[in-house]
Amino acid sequence: MKKIVLVALAAAAAVFAKKKLDASREEQALWAQATDPVTPA
């Protein structure tokens, strides 16, 4: 029983970490787009 709880806890932690990583990447992409250098025409 303890192993099942441990595996479920590890899976939940992995999902949480993945969501945080994805959100961080999305924000980084947004900042990269917002701060792109303007090329003179």
Side-chain angles (χ1 to χ4, degrees), residues 2-12:
K2 289 181 183 179
K3 287 183 182 180
I4 294 173
V5 171
L6 187 61
V7 168
L9 187 61

Side-chain angles (χ1 to χ4, degrees), residues 6-35:
L6 187 61
V7 168
L9 187 61
V15 168
F16 178 76
K18 172 96 169 86
K19 286 186 179 184
K20 290 283 279 185
L21 185 62
D22 288 346
S24 177
R25 283 187 182 162
E26 287 178 16
E27 182 152 352
Q28 179 63 32
L30 183 63
W31 275 108
Q33 181 182 9
T35 59

